[in-house]
Amino acid sequence: MVDFAQRLKEAMEMRNIKQAQLAQKCNIGKSSISTYLKGKYLPKYDSIVKLADALNVSPKWLAGEDDSIVDTNITDDQLKFALFNAKEGVTDQMLEEVKSFADYILKKNSPSP
């Protein structure tokens, strides 16, 4: 199994984020991030969730519990960002219209029983 430190390094490289930036985004001390990267200490799960969220990876993947780097359970805010490249300015109504359209496309292109 891949360890937490290796996955943290990999995610940081993928997202091109430095220790100081990650520490600021997660409200975790820079020294703690450094300790995690050296493999000297494993953070508590709530910190793993903060780190995963900041790095846009699955907390279970980051913790070494899963092989899937992405979390398939995404929030509406994450979906708004993915679809519109923004969380702000996108109303819930706009998001619901996109979801309805996606459902329509799926049904339209699914084979009939």
Side-chain angles (χ1 to χ4, degrees), residues 5-49:
Q6 181 59 39
R7 290 207 169 170
L8 181 59
K9 288 175 195 173
E10 184 179 339
M12 288 174 66
E13 288 173 6
M14 273 191 321
R15 304 297 184 226
N16 195 28
I17 189 169
K18 305 291 182 205
Q19 288 183 40
Q21 295 168 309
L22 184 59
Q24 184 178 14
K25 284 180 95 170
C26 298
N27 199 25
I28 295 174
K30 287 187 279 185
S31 61
S32 294
I33 302 289
S34 177
T35 304
Y36 302 154
L37 287 166
K38 291 176 184 172
K40 293 182 178 180
Y41 181 76
L42 185 64
K44 292 181 181 176
Y45 199 75
D46 63 323
S47 294
I48 292 175
V49 170

Side-chain angles (χ1 to χ4, degrees), residues 61-102:
W61 175 84
L62 190 58
E65 299 170 3
D66 194 352
D67 290 335
S68 179
I69 193 167
V70 293
D71 191 351
T72 55
N73 298 316
I74 63 171
T75 66
D76 281 352
D77 282 344
Q78 291 170 326
L79 186 56
K80 287 176 185 178
F81 185 79
L83 293 171
F84 301 102
N85 202 26
K87 286 193 296 189
E88 298 175 16
V90 179
T91 66
D92 290 340
Q93 178 64 34
M94 291 167 67
L95 184 59
E96 288 307 313
E97 288 179 29
V98 170
K99 288 179 181 179
S100 293
F101 183 69

